[in-house]
Amino acid sequence: MTGLFEWLLQPALWLGLCLALLYAALFHAWQGRTLAGLGWFALASLAGFAAGQLAGAALHFPALGQVQIVAGTLGAASALTLVRARLHKA
């Protein structure tokens, strides 16, 4: 249980979560139509930021501490754009 507790206290995790949710909120303020869209944007941003984080670490992009901000931002932006296209298509 201590390992999980230590993992949850890592500042890099919280910085990544905060950035991904901030991107979702800003994107929703710009392109959102419904409250359900905010939920989809939040999920997409979190998934995209996580994918970007993994890709940036694998490709050795510059990072701020342990957070791949550029790669994570690109991943979140890509995922948000895809979800927006799917939501506005329906």
Side-chain angles (χ1 to χ4, degrees):
M1 192 62 144
T2 348
L4 175 65
F5 185 68
E6 289 176 8
W7 183 76
L8 287 174
L9 288 178
Q10 290 186 6
L13 172 70
W14 292 103
L15 178 60
L17 284 173
C18 287
L19 283 174
L21 292 175
L22 175 67
Y23 295 152
L26 291 173
F27 196 82
H28 179 70
W30 178 47
Q31 292 287 319
R33 293 183 181 174
T34 64
L35 192 56
L38 177 60
W40 285 110
F41 289 152
L43 288 174
S45 183
L46 288 168
F49 196 93
Q53 173 75 16
L54 292 173
L59 298 173
H60 304 291
F61 279 15
L64 178 65
Q66 296 175 349
V67 181
Q68 301 284 336
I69 292 181
V70 174
T73 300
L74 291 174
S78 300
L80 287 167
T81 303
L82 288 173
V83 168
R84 180 193 159 276
R86 291 289 293 164
L87 288 177
H88 288 213
K89 189 183 222 183

